Amino acid sequence: VQLQASGGGLVQVGDSLRLSCAASGLTFSLYAFAWFRQAPGQEREFVAALSGIIYYADSVKGRFTISRDDAKNTVHLQMISLKPEDTAVYYCAGVDRRSSVYRTTNYAFARRYDYWGQGTQVTVSS
């Protein structure tokens, strides 16, 4: 299984970006996905999850939208009204919904996800 994240970049406050996560080596429809981010000196934090139900961190609710394209085996994170505090490396993550860890672990915990992309840098400049 491979997850390839892309779409990051340097933007201004208030700008938008769309991150993509291309998945391969798996049966895409059987997987749940999430986005996490990690800023310098901070722990990795939950951003959004999609597994039938969609969840968002409070800090991004109303500004970020997670979606999936099953025809293209891709997960997206549309980000609008970006703020300097959104600056981080963004990681996509996936887990087989048939797995025990998926059934027993909260969507916001990184340990729920078995597969991770390499990360894409988002920098929001003021």
Side-chain angles (χ1 to χ4, degrees):
V1 175
Q2 286 193 323
L3 302 178
Q4 181 75 32
S6 63
L10 172 63
V11 297
Q12 301 295 314
V13 170
D15 282 353
S16 301
L17 272 178
R18 187 173 84 152
L19 306 184
S20 297
C21 177
S24 60
L26 51 73
T27 303
F28 190 80
S29 61
L30 296 178
Y31 276 66
F33 296 93
W35 288 93
F36 286 75
R37 66 187 182 186
Q38 187 167 19
Q42 298 187 23
E43 294 188 354
R44 191 168 299 191
E45 66 170 0
F46 168 76
V47 174
L50 189 160
S51 58
I53 301 174
I54 294 176
Y55 304 95
Y56 296 101
D58 287 343
S59 59
V60 306
K61 203 171 293 183
R63 300 187 299 120
F64 289 14
T65 303
I66 187 172
S67 63
R68 63 189 293 157
D69 183 342
D70 283 38
K72 296 183 178 180
N73 285 13
T74 302
V75 181
H76 298 291
L77 185 69
Q78 178 69 50
M79 308 183 293
I80 66 170
S81 302
L82 283 162
K83 306 176 181 179
E85 51 263 43
D86 295 319
T87 295
V89 177
Y90 284 70
Y91 298 90
C92 59
V95 61
D96 190 325
R97 290 182 290 171
R98 298 168 297 179
S99 68
S100 60
V101 67
Y102 170 80
R103 292 193 301 271
T104 60
T105 308
N106 184 278
Y107 61 85
F109 286 89
R111 66 176 184 268
R112 187 194 216 200
Y113 302 92
D114 294 323
Y115 303 102
W116 292 82
Q118 83 289 2
T120 185
Q121 176 72 47
V122 173
T123 303
V124 184
S125 173
S126 56

